[in-house]
Amino acid sequence: MDTQTHTSPALTPDVIDRFIEAAGPGGALVGGRDDLEKYLVEWRGLYRGETPLVLRPGSVEAVSAIVKIAAETGTPLVPQGGNTGLVGGQIPDASGGQVIVSLERMNKVRAVDALNNAMVVDAGCTLQSIQDAASEIDRLFPLSLASEGSCQVGGVISTNAGGTAVLRYGSMRDLVLGLEAVLPNGEIWNGLTSLRKDNTGYDLMRLLAGAEGTLGIITGAVLKLYPAPKATETAFVAVRDPQAAVELLARLQDVSGGLVATFEIIKRSGFELVLRHFEDAADPFSDPHQWYVLVELTAGTDGWLRGVLEQGLGGAMEAGLVLDAVLAESETQRQALWALRENMSEAQKLEGASIKHDVSVPVSRVPDFLDQATRDVEAAMPGIRPVPFGHIGDGNIHFNLSQPVEMDPQAFIGQWQAMNDIVHGVVARLNGSISAEHGIGTLKREEITRYKSDVALGAMRAIKQALDPKGIMNPGKLV
Amino acid sequence: MDTQTHTSPALTPDVIDRFIEAAGPGGALVGGRDDLEKYLVEWRGLYRGETPLVLRPGSVEAVSAIVKIAAETGTPLVPQGGNTGLVGGQIPDASGGQVIVSLERMNKVRAVDALNNAMVVDAGCTLQSIQDAASEIDRLFPLSLASEGSCQVGGVISTNAGGTAVLRYGSMRDLVLGLEAVLPNGEIWNGLTSLRKDNTGYDLMRLLAGAEGTLGIITGAVLKLYPAPKATETAFVAVRDPQAAVELLARLQDVSGGLVATFEIIKRSGFELVLRHFEDAADPFSDPHQWYVLVELTAGTDGWLRGVLEQGLGGAMEAGLVLDAVLAESETQRQALWALRENMSEAQKLEGASIKHDVSVPVSRVPDFLDQATRDVEAAMPGIRPVPFGHIGDGNIHFNLSQPVEMDPQAFIGQWQAMNDIVHGVVARLNGSISAEHGIGTLKREEITRYKSDVALGAMRAIKQALDPKGIMNPGKLV
C-alpha cells in the first residue's frame, strides 16, 4: 500500500496531513497504520481498490473542509456508505490516488416529526435504524432491502435504491423530502426542507439522488414517513402465465384502490431450486404450476382487507388467470410464503455459477420480455437455466441465468458479456432499462453508452462538468 | 407591434422567415397579419409582453428545427402552454425580441396502456383531455386544477403544478414517468420511457419538470395512471383549531392507511364570505365554529370506507379535536360541501382587493404559521382580513388577505410588497417555501434570491449555463 501512496501527483504527504486534520480527531484511518481492508473490497469480492486514506468526518463542516482541500489539490474523493453497492460505485480505483470519505460516523437520527410524517437523519444511519426510528413513532419508512442492516442512507439515496416496496411507495428518490450535501466546490447546500410542496426552481434534490456521489457528498436527508400498516394479507398464487400475472396485478390494484404492496413473480424453475435446497420449503399446492406470484396487500385498518384480496383473486380465477391460491392464515405461514421468494438467490448460488441481470421493461411488456429473453439465451446456450424472478409490479425482473448442469462454472462466467448482450438487446427493443435498481457504478459505465441516448449522456456530462469542473467527485463512475 | 419587430438584433426579417418555414405550414402567426393578443396577455391581465411571432409547431422535429435556428441566431424563445400560469413564466418580455413557441397544435394522446398504468401524450394536450382519456380506460390521472380545461400538459410539467390531490398522489413532477423534450441546442431528447424503475444516471426528467421552460421545451410525456377510485366519502368538519386539524389528518391517515385524498382547511372568516355571496351556500352546522376542514377519502371498493371515516372522526371527537361533522349522503350533498371550499376565491374577489400568498411550511408547523402570520399582518394593518385556506395536508396555505372594509383598493394593493415581506418572513422562520405550487416565473424571480440559499441558486445557475450557454430558453424567468 505504501508504495502506492504517491502514485497520484496530488496526494503528497502534506496533502494527506491536511486531510487528516480536516477530518478531525479520530476521523482518519491511514494505510499501513490502520486496516483499511473493509473499505477497499466490495462485499462479494468483485471490486477491489486501493487508497492510502479513509476519512471518517463527524460533521458536515468536516466534510466541507475535506472537499475544499480536494478541490484545491485536485484529489479525487470516493464517498462510501455501508459498502453494500452491487456495481462498484463505492470502491476507489487501483491507483491509490483516490481518498475514501466514509459517512459512517455521521449516524444520528436528528429529528422525527410524526405529524409532518418526516424525519431528519444523518447520511451514515443504517436503513434498519431508520426503519426502527420510524416504527417507534408508529410510522413506516417503506424502503426495504436485503442489505438494510448495513447499508447507509447516504448510499441508498445516492444510488436511488429500490427494493420490494417500490410498487407502493416508490424508490429512494421518491422518498426524500430534503437533502444536505457538500457540493464539489466544498460548499454546504442546506436543502433540509420537509415540505410537501416547494416550487422554487430546479430539483437539485432529485439530481443528487441517484448521482452515485458524482455531484457531491450527501451528508443528511429529510425522509418521508407513512402510516404504519395495521393489516397485511399475503397470498401465494399459481397463475396461468406471466400475462395472467400482469392482468392479476391490474385487477388487484383496481379492487383495492392501489393497496398492493408486493407483487413478485417466480418461475417454476427457481421455485424448484428452493424446494431442493431448503428443507423447510414446501410446495403449497398439490399440483405443479409453471408460474407463481407472491402478493401482499397492506392497509391501515383490519377486517376488510382479506375480503378485498379474496374478491380480486376470485374474479381472476373465474377469468382463468389464477389456477390456485393460498392465503397466509398466520404470521408463521406468511413468513413461510415469503421464504419461497427470499431464498431464491441463495438456492441459485447452490446450483453453481450464475449470470445476473437487473433490468426493467414497462409492466405490460414483462410477458414479452420473459418470452424473448428466455428463447434467445436458450438458443445461444443449450442447457442454460433461466431463473427469472422479481418485482413484476415495477417491471423489474432479475433475469438470472444458472449454468447448464454439466458446464464448468468458469467457462459459464466467461459468457457473461455475451449473455448480457442478448438480454440487454431484448430490453432495448422493449424500451426498457439495463439497470433497474442497482445503478451504473463502474460495472455498467461502458455498457450504458450503448443503450442510453447520446443526447441524454451529453446532458449528463454537461451537468457533471458544470458542478464538478475539476472532476474530483467519484471519478470513473456513472458518467 | 411592427415597430418593435427589430428591437432584437437577432430577429431580422430573414430570421423570422426561417422560423416560419421551420414551423411548417400553418405553424406561424405573425404580428400585424394575425391577432397575437391571446398569447401576449396573461389571463388576469397582470402580465403583458410583445412579440412579432408566435410559432405553433406540429411535431417534435419542427420544434427542434425552431430551437436550432434560435440557438444559431441567439433568439430568445418563450415556450407557452395554455397560458394559465400565475407568475408570468409564459409571457415574453416587452422588447418584442422574444419568440413564443406554443405547443397547442401538438395535442394528441399518443398511446394508453392500462396494464402499465401509463399514457403517452403530446405536450399540448389539455389536462382535462388527459383526465378524460384515463377515465375511458377506467383509470385516474389524479392531478386536478381550476384551469384544467385549458392548461396544457407541457406547462403543467414545466411548472410542476400541484392542485388538490397532491397529498395522495404528489405534484406533477411525481406523476411523470418519461419525457420528450428539445434541449437548448436543438437536440431531441427521447426520454419517453414508461418504466417504474430506471436507475441509469441523473434524473433529467425531474430536472426539466419544474424548470419553467428554461432548460428546454417539453414536447411529450409519459404520465402515471392510477386505479380509478370506486368509493368516495366526504365530510365537512368543524375542528377546535388548526392544531386539531393537523392531528385529525394524522389520525385519518392512520386509520385509513393513507387514503385521505383531500384535506383542506377553511377559516370562519372565509366561510362567512362564501355564505354572504353565494345564496346556495348554507352553514351545515347550527353553531358557528372558527375552523373547518373539508376531508375526502377515496378507495377502490365500496362498503367499508364510510366506517373508516366514521371511526377516525369519532375518535377525534372523543379527543376533543372535532367539534362537529357532517358526512355527505349523496353526490349532491358532496358537491354542496365542495362548493363551500371552491367558492372561496370568488367570494373574496367580491369583497374588494386582496393580496395573495402561495406558501408552504412543514405540515406540523401550519398552526404556528397561521398564528404568527395573522398576528403580524394585523399588527401592520389594523382592519385587514386574513382569509387563509388551502391544502393543509401538504402544508400549503393560500394565505390571502382581504382589504380592510373601508380602505381604498388601490392603496391596499400598494401594500403588496410590505405584506409579502411580513408573510414570507414568517415562512422563512418556519423553514417554508415562498412558492409552494405556482412557481417563480417573473413574479418571484427577485424575491427568491432573498429566501433561497446562495449555494442552491449558484448550482441552479451553473446547470442553466451548462445546458443553455446562449441563454435562449425563456430568459428572464426563474434563474
Side-chain angles (χ1 to χ4, degrees), chain A residues 113-117 138-139 159-164 166 168 171 173-174 183 185 187-190 192-204 206-207 209-212 214-215 224 227-228 230 243 246-247 249-250 253-259 299-301 304 308 311 360-365 391 393-396 398 430-440 448 452-464 466-467 478-479, chain B residues 113-117 138-139 159-164 166 168-169 171 173-174 183 187-190 192-204 206-207 209-212 214-215 224 227-228 230 243 246-247 249-250 253-259 299-301 304 308 311 360-365 391 393-396 398 430-440 448 452-464 466-467 478-479:
Chain A
D113 185 344
L115 282 181
N116 195 37
N117 276 315
D138 194 29
R139 291 291 181 275
T159 57
N160 184 29
T164 52
V166 173
R168 177 79 165 270
S171 58
R173 199 181 259 147
D174 303 308
L183 300 185
N185 60 6
E187 289 183 330
I188 298 169
W189 171 46
N190 182 340
L192 287 177
T193 55
S194 57
L195 304 173
R196 301 284 152 173
K197 280 184 180 174
D198 178 18
N199 223 349
T200 57
Y202 303 157
D203 194 344
L204 299 178
R206 292 204 179 86
L207 185 64
E212 302 187 7
T214 63
L215 298 178
K224 282 186 199 171
K230 300 295 192 293
Q243 180 66 30
V246 170
E247 292 178 23
L249 171 62
Q253 291 287 47
D254 199 33
V255 299
S256 73
L259 298 181
T301 47
W304 51 271
V308 169
Q311 183 188 337
S360 66
V361 294
V363 176
S364 52
R365 308 308 298 272
H391 325 301
D394 315 317
N396 177 198
H398 295 293
L430 297 171
N431 288 316
S433 168
I434 65 161
S435 187
E437 58 178 10
H438 297 164
I440 301 296
I448 195 65
K452 211 167 172 89
S453 79
D454 289 341
V455 177
L457 291 169
M460 284 167 54
R461 290 189 195 109
I463 292 166
K464 167 73 174 176
L467 295 182
L478 187 58
V479 279
Chain B
D113 184 344
L115 281 182
N116 195 37
N117 276 313
D138 194 29
R139 292 290 182 273
T159 57
N160 183 29
T164 53
V166 173
R168 177 78 166 271
Y169 298 100
S171 57
R173 198 181 260 144
D174 303 307
L183 300 185
E187 288 182 330
I188 298 169
W189 171 46
N190 182 341
L192 287 177
T193 55
S194 58
L195 304 173
R196 302 283 153 175
K197 280 184 178 173
D198 178 18
N199 223 349
T200 56
Y202 303 159
D203 194 343
L204 298 179
R206 291 203 178 88
L207 185 64
E212 301 187 8
T214 63
L215 298 179
K224 281 186 200 173
K230 300 296 191 295
Q243 180 66 31
V246 171
E247 291 178 24
L249 172 61
Q253 290 288 47
D254 199 32
V255 298
S256 73
L259 298 180
T301 46
W304 52 270
V308 168
Q311 182 187 339
S360 66
V361 293
V363 176
S364 53
R365 307 309 298 274
H391 324 301
D394 315 318
N396 178 198
H398 294 293
L430 297 172
N431 289 316
S433 168
I434 66 162
S435 187
E437 58 178 9
H438 297 164
I440 301 297
I448 194 66
K452 210 166 174 90
S453 79
D454 290 341
V455 176
L457 292 169
M460 283 166 55
R461 290 191 195 105
I463 292 166
K464 167 73 174 173
L467 295 183
L478 187 60
V479 281

Side-chain angles (χ1 to χ4, degrees), chain B residues 286-371:
Chain B
S286 47
D287 296 323
H289 300 283
Q290 283 308 299
W291 292 94
Y292 305 94
V293 168
L294 176 71
V295 57
E296 196 160 276
L297 274 62
T298 60
T301 46
D302 217 337
W304 52 270
L305 191 62
R306 192 178 182 93
V308 168
L309 178 57
E310 287 171 347
Q311 182 187 339
L313 290 174
M317 203 171 272
E318 282 171 29
L321 305 173
V322 167
L323 307 176
D324 208 344
V326 291
L327 277 69
E329 300 290 346
S330 66
E331 179 60 22
T332 308
Q333 279 187 26
R334 173 178 173 264
Q335 291 188 5
L337 297 180
W338 266 95
L340 295 172
R341 158 68 179 85
E342 289 182 334
N343 289 328
M344 194 78 62
S345 291
E346 186 62 24
Q348 205 183 357
K349 202 179 291 179
L350 298 169
E351 284 288 315
S354 55
I355 295 173
K356 302 193 172 188
H357 300 87
D358 165 42
V359 299
S360 66
V361 293
V363 176
S364 53
R365 307 309 298 274
V366 168
D368 288 346
F369 168 74
L370 290 170
D371 268 3

Side-chain angles (χ1 to χ4, degrees), chain A residues 5 51 55 63 74 100 128 147 149 203 262 359 401 406 470 473:
Chain A
T5 304
T51 189
L55 300 173
V63 175
I100 292 175
Q128 174 84 59
S147 63
D203 194 344
T262 301
V359 299
L401 305 171
E406 304 293 331
K470 298 186 177 172
M473 291 307 311

Side-chain angles (χ1 to χ4, degrees), chain A residues 157 176-180 189 191-194 205 220-223:
Chain A
I157 296 171
V176 178
L177 284 173
L179 277 190
E180 176 190 79
W189 171 46
L192 287 177
T193 55
S194 57
M205 182 174 75
V222 185
L223 304 179

